[in-house]
Amino acid sequence: MNRNSILPPGRARSPRNARRERFAVLGPLGLATAATFFGLDEDLLAPVWLAAVAWTFLASFALALRAGLRGGDWSAFRDHRHEPGREEEADLDLRVGAYAFMRDREDVLANRDPRRSADAGHDLS
C-alpha cells in the first residue's frame, strides 16, 4: 500500500494487522542482523542474509497481492509512478554549496601544494 493511497470506507486496516505485516516482512532481517551480531559462522551468514532479503521481497509482494485480492486495494500496483530525478539539483550542489569541500580537496590534491592544504585547513588523510 502506498503512503498516499486512501482505503475505501469500511476497509481500513487495524494497527494490529499493520504491526503483524511489518513483522512478517522485516522480521527475518532482524534475525539475520542478530545472527551477524552474535557471530554466526561465515559460511552460513551469507545464505541467511540472502534468504532474509528474498523473504522480505516475497512477503511484501504477497501482502500487497493479498490486499488487492481481499480488499480491492490495488494501489500498491497501480499508483506507482516514477518521480523525476534531481539531476539539476545535483549539478547545482556539485558546483556550489553542499559539495564545495570536495572540489576544494580535489584542487589541493591536483596542485600538490602542502602549504595551500595547511593554510586552508584541509585534512587529507
Side-chain angles (χ1 to χ4, degrees), residues 35-101:
T36 303
F37 179 73
F38 290 116
L40 185 68
D41 186 27
E42 292 175 2
D43 294 336
L44 296 175
L45 201 56
V48 166
W49 272 101
L50 288 174
V53 169
W55 177 267
T56 300
F57 173 77
L58 293 173
S60 62
F61 178 74
L63 287 171
L65 189 61
R66 180 177 156 238
L69 292 174
R70 283 184 135 185
D73 180 21
W74 293 101
S75 62
F77 297 103
R78 93 178 103 100
D79 287 347
H80 177 73
R81 58 173 191 225
H82 178 68
E83 295 293 329
R86 35 179 314 262
E87 287 84 15
E88 299 84 20
E89 293 176 24
D91 288 343
L92 183 63
D93 286 344
L94 290 174
R95 276 188 259 130
V96 294
Y99 296 100
F101 71 94

